[in-house]
Amino acid sequence: VASVDGKDIVKSSATNVTNALAGRLPGITAVNGNGKPGTGSQITIRGISTFGDNSALIVVDGIVRSFDQIDPNEIESISILKDASATAVYGSRAANGVILVTTKRGRTGKPTISYNGFAGIQNPTAYPKLMTGLEYATTKNVARQNMGLQPAFTEEEMADIRQGTKPEIDWYDLTLNKSAFQTQQNVSVTGGTDMVKYFMAAGYLNQNGLYDNLNYKRYSIRSNVDASINKNFTVSVDLDASRRNSNGSSYSPEAIFSDIMAAYPFDRTYNPDGTIFYTREQHPVEEIKTGYQKNVTDVLQATLTLKHELPFIKGLSVSGRASFGKEGFTSKFYQVPILMNRQDADGNTLEIYPFGGWNGKTALTESYSDYNTTTLNASLNYKASFGEHDVKAIALFEQFDAKSKNFYGFRTNFPANGLDELLYGGQVQKDANGSSFNDGRRSFVARVDYAFKNRYLLEGSFRSDGSVAFPASKKYGFFPAVSAGWKISEEAFFRNNSNLDFFDNLKLRASYGKVGNTAVAPYQ
């Protein structure tokens, strides 16, 4: 197990929690695939372990869910389970390790208000170096010569290029900004009495991209409340809600960046009359402001936890948890062609060439999805000490259900670019479709921990996992684990040896566990 404190995560000023884990924990690899605002890192634990999906299992306050968009200011700690015997209690989804996220909770005392915010800029580390205009022209001529063709640039043009009299475009400079602004703000209040403790927070994130019209915003609120109904019965209510807005042009950042590198250095951006210059293939300056893609994601996670200490047996308690998650996603993707104007030397229009869009046409795609999850579990817990013997045990039942519905509509042949609603689209070349998805799991878990003199440790566990993805005859998998440990530093011969004072803790441990992976296509 490796862990990191929430205070250390906040220090990094990372807007996405997954990015803050990079380089902080042994055995953890965090790779950010792109720099688009709001994106996080793909986290792997001890490398790639399985076919298909290699993502670690994320558990936030006991509920399996994503955590990359949780405000870092709301996190108390993150623990990484890397060992098979430690992750085996998560059974069929633990093959790639488990990340446990614990959010902050209330404490007894007067209300304490905390504010944490920052504003800053992001700069690109480096851009790929491109050929100069002279290098490009020389290479182009050599390539055509090797193919037995006439050179693309005449000797007069080559002379102008060498002397700098032929204008050369820096597409990086014209398309991208030197830096991108970002800010994150969070205010929280915590406090409570012996009866009720609370932690509440509200957060805001605004992150721009390195070109205009690329932006990500996140609004979040959290409320964690713990109430003691009596000395044996406690109730906890957790609410986590957020809205995430992601905006960009109709061209993806990857496409725009690729077109910047592929654009010709001697093209112009616009004709003298202000119309778009005919570049033949790509025009990144226009791509960053043509059309749009607007995505909105609304997330709600509500959890109710009950715990009752059974008075007739000391150390025995029963607890139950019900959690409901809802994620709604809407997307509006508006594609508009770039109307390039090819002109002669006198400025007369020879051709209007529609580049991009949907096959050279204006098109609109709107999509909606709704994802709902329900997690129910109940457990019996026991913890007791008998002289030099310490025992902990848990028996748990859990059921998970998920349902998803998706719908999208598509139309093209719009009479004007400003009419970006489906009802204005043409009656041909249109489409509407949808889909649904169901998922479910049922699990039985048991674990027993035993320690003698706090030196000799033994633990055994098993989990039986069933998934709707598999046929009835193979629906359940069994995932056992066992481990034994010896705290050498607790032995008298070790503690009383002054030559070994530099050891704070030394433990020898052996373990075996079996884990699985259900991240496969269902109903095969």
Side-chain angles (χ1 to χ4, degrees):
V1 178
S3 62
V4 60
D5 192 270
K7 296 178 181 177
D8 295 325
I9 297 174
V10 175
K11 287 178 182 178
S12 70
S13 296
T15 56
N16 190 296
V17 178
T18 57
N19 297 335
L21 295 182
R24 292 186 177 273
L25 297 166
I28 307 304
T29 303
V31 178
N32 195 328
N34 66 67
K36 186 178 179 180
T39 58
S41 296
Q42 174 71 27
I43 296 178
T44 55
I45 299 176
R46 288 182 173 172
I48 295 175
S49 309
T50 63
F51 295 105
D53 189 351
N54 291 281
S55 302
L57 180 69
I58 312 298
V59 183
V60 181
D61 292 334
I63 301 300
V64 174
R65 53 172 297 200
S66 64
F67 80 117
D68 58 328
Q69 295 298 337
I70 295 179
D71 192 315
N73 294 279
E74 300 171 1
I75 294 177
E76 182 70 29
S77 65
I78 296 178
S79 297
I80 312 293
L81 306 185
K82 299 180 285 185
D83 185 274
S85 66
T87 60
V89 291
Y90 294 97
S92 63
R93 292 178 290 173
N96 294 288
V98 180
I99 299 177
L100 304 179
V101 181
T102 303
T103 61
K104 294 180 180 178
R105 310 203 70 84
R107 297 180 176 88
T108 303
K110 295 181 179 179
T112 300
I113 298 176
S114 301
Y115 165 77
N116 188 7
F118 72 83
I121 59 173
Q122 290 180 295
N123 298 314
T125 304
Y127 289 136
K129 186 178 180 181
L130 305 180
M131 285 182 173
T132 65
L134 178 60
E135 291 170 337
Y136 168 77
T138 302
T139 305
K140 183 78 170 179
N141 280 352
V142 170
R144 289 181 64 85
Q145 180 183 353
N146 291 340
M147 293 186 291
L149 303 174
Q150 293 295 320
F153 298 89
T154 65
E155 286 299 326
E156 291 78 9
E157 288 177 315
M158 292 298 294
D160 290 340
I161 293 172
R162 293 187 184 95
Q163 295 171 8
T165 55
K166 186 176 179 64
E168 181 179 340
I169 285 185
D170 183 346
W171 289 99
Y172 278 139
D173 184 62
L174 287 175
T175 307
L176 304 177
N177 299 320
K178 295 293 187 296
S179 61
F181 176 78
Q182 65 174 4
T183 182
Q184 182 165 285
Q185 317 291 328
N186 180 276
V187 61
S188 64
V189 56
T190 183
T193 65
D194 292 337
M195 299 298 295
V196 179
K197 302 177 182 66
Y198 55 87
F199 171 82
M200 299 179 183
Y204 168 72
L205 167 66
N206 186 357
Q207 186 178 17
N208 290 329
L210 281 170
Y211 59 84
D212 296 339
N213 302 321
L214 184 62
N215 174 264
Y216 177 82
K217 292 182 180 179
R218 182 182 69 217
Y219 310 86
S220 61
I221 57 173
R222 174 176 295 277
S223 172
N224 292 345
V225 178
D226 303 303
S228 297
I229 306 304
N230 56 45
K231 66 177 183 178
N232 293 324
F233 187 51
T234 58
V235 178
S236 298
V237 179
D238 299 349
L239 295 175
D240 177 21
S242 67
R243 163 163 284 194
R244 310 158 192 170
N245 296 329
S246 178
N247 299 311
S249 74
S250 59
Y251 291 81
S252 69
E254 293 84 357
I256 291 173
F257 199 78
S258 176
D259 286 349
I260 289 174
M261 294 189 290
Y264 300 114
F266 300 113
D267 279 341
R268 297 198 302 270
T269 51
Y270 300 101
N271 295 310
D273 61 0
T275 57
I276 301 171
F277 183 80
Y278 177 70
T279 61
R280 301 180 295 283
E281 294 182 45
Q282 58 274 315
H283 200 300
V285 171
E286 278 295 311
E287 290 172 16
I288 66 173
K289 53 186 178 183
T290 300
Y292 61 79
Q293 179 152 13
K294 298 179 180 179
N295 299 331
V296 178
T297 305
D298 292 314
V299 177
L300 172 66
Q301 190 76 38
T303 304
L304 173 67
T305 304
L306 308 175
K307 184 177 180 180
H308 184 54
E309 302 281 350
L310 301 178
F312 49 85
I313 299 179
K314 185 179 179 181
L316 186 64
S317 65
V318 61
S319 62
R321 176 180 286 134
S323 184
F324 171 75
K326 185 177 183 64
E327 180 172 316
F329 175 79
T330 63
S331 176
K332 197 169 184 179
F333 182 40
Y334 192 48
Q335 298 170 274
V336 179
I338 298 171
L339 300 180
M340 297 184 181
N341 192 321
R342 187 165 68 90
Q343 298 181 348
D344 60 19
D346 297 324
N348 299 311
T349 297
L350 301 177
E351 176 190 8
I352 299 295
Y353 174 69
F355 170 76
W358 184 82
N359 296 329
K361 296 181 179 181
T362 298
L364 175 64
T365 303
E366 290 195 60
S367 58
Y368 308 87
S369 68
D370 185 56
Y371 181 65
N372 299 288
T373 62
T374 302
T375 303
L376 303 173
N377 66 38
S379 65
L380 189 66
N381 309 274
Y382 181 70
K383 182 178 181 180
S385 297
F386 307 95
E388 296 179 325
H389 305 271
D390 297 299
V391 178
K392 289 193 299 182
I394 181 173
L396 178 141
F397 166 80
E398 182 172 86
Q399 181 159 310
F400 170 85
D401 296 285
K403 294 182 179 180
S404 176
K405 294 182 179 181
N406 309 277
F407 175 81
Y408 84 91
F410 167 82
R411 278 196 178 187
T412 184
N413 297 310
F414 286 80
N417 288 344
L419 302 176
D420 54 344
E421 297 295 341
L422 284 174
L423 64 95
Y424 295 118
Q427 295 302 311
V428 296
Q429 294 178 315
K430 63 179 182 178
D431 191 17
N433 209 337
S435 63
S436 63
F437 171 76
N438 294 321
D439 188 19
R441 284 180 295 274
R442 183 173 292 164
S443 308
F444 304 88
V445 184
R447 183 173 66 188
V448 177
D449 293 270
Y450 169 73
F452 176 63
K453 294 184 176 181
N454 196 31
R455 301 177 200 169
Y456 313 107
L457 314 172
L458 185 64
E459 177 181 286
S461 70
F462 77 83
R463 182 177 182 123
S464 178
D465 260 340
S467 170
V468 298
F470 303 110
S473 60
K474 299 181 180 180
K475 191 171 293 293
Y476 280 86
F478 186 69
F479 304 94
V482 63
S483 67
W486 176 29
K487 282 190 175 182
I488 304 173
S489 54
E490 294 296 318
E491 297 288 356
F493 71 83
F494 196 98
R495 291 201 315 266
N496 298 332
N497 190 333
S498 59
N499 295 324
L500 299 175
D501 286 345
F502 59 91
F503 278 103
D504 294 317
N505 183 50
L506 179 63
K507 181 171 70 173
L508 183 65
R509 183 171 180 264
S511 62
Y512 171 82
K514 182 180 179 182
V515 291
N517 181 20
T518 57
V520 296
Y523 317 126
Q524 296 185 74

